[in-house]
Amino acid sequence: MLIEYIQSILLIISSILIIISAIGVLSLDKDTKNVVYARIHIFGVFDIACVLAMIGLGQYLLAIIYFIIAPFTAHAIANSYYKSEDVKNNLELLNSDIVEEDNPFIHSKSKIQALESEVNISEKVKVDDRFSVSTFEINEEE
């Protein structure tokens, strides 16, 4: 009887934490500095709520595994964002072009804009703030 009350209390606490973390994620502005790191921090609260819920449901082994793996995944996400896209904080990316020149399928935004200004191909090339996508037609005649 006492174990059922403890499990119910853990489920209530975890549901409250999940609601709080959902409100936190939804209230963040996209223009906030370091918004990716803030979201990862908020999802840490969500992870603890999930561990409490698993304990409340009697899934102890799953809770332990999730408790161990969740920080590693959060660190991997933050590290990969820092190494690849975080131009504001990573000084190596601040002055360099992210796009590799060896790849014939990926071109930087400045290169596409230069090509677009030389030749009027604005219908075939769409430029975005983050990346560029160019399309072309292929005719497969036999």
Side-chain angles (χ1 to χ4, degrees):
M1 192 74 163
L2 180 63
I3 293 177
E4 292 176 3
Y5 286 130
I6 292 173
Q7 289 176 341
S8 299
I9 290 171
L10 286 175
L11 288 174
I12 290 171
I13 290 172
S14 65
S15 65
I16 290 171
L17 287 174
I18 288 171
I19 290 171
I20 289 171
S21 64
I23 291 171
V25 167
L26 293 176
S27 67
L28 283 176
D29 290 332
K30 292 181 182 178
D31 298 331
T32 305
K33 184 178 178 183
N34 298 328
V35 70
V36 172
Y37 305 117
R39 286 181 180 160
I40 291 172
H41 183 76
I42 291 172
F43 284 126
V45 175
F46 180 76
D47 291 337
I48 294 300
C50 288
V51 168
L52 288 176
M54 284 184 242
I55 291 172
L57 293 173
Q59 302 294 324
Y60 304 114
L61 183 61
L62 189 60
I64 291 170
I65 291 171
Y66 190 77
F67 186 72
I68 292 171
I69 292 177
F72 287 111
T73 57
H75 176 72
I77 291 169
N79 192 24
S80 65
Y81 179 75
Y82 177 77
K83 296 285 185 186
S84 64
E85 295 183 32
D86 194 4
V87 180
K88 293 179 183 176
N89 296 320
N90 191 350
L91 296 177
E92 295 175 2
L93 296 177
L94 185 61
N95 296 323
S96 67
D97 196 7
I98 297 173
V99 177
E100 297 177 6
E101 293 296 326
D102 296 338
N103 193 339
F105 300 107
I106 302 175
H107 302 290
S108 65
K109 177 184 169 191
S110 57
K111 187 175 180 180
I112 295 295
Q113 287 177 340
L115 287 172
E116 191 177 56
S117 65
E118 289 177 9
V119 181
N120 189 8
I121 56 170
S122 61
E123 299 153 1
K124 300 281 183 190
V125 177
K126 297 183 185 209
V127 178
D128 189 12
D129 289 332
R130 293 185 55 196
F131 59 91
S132 296
V133 177
S134 63
T135 59
F136 59 93
E137 294 181 13
I138 298 175
N139 292 328
E140 295 182 9
E141 297 179 5
E142 297 179 343

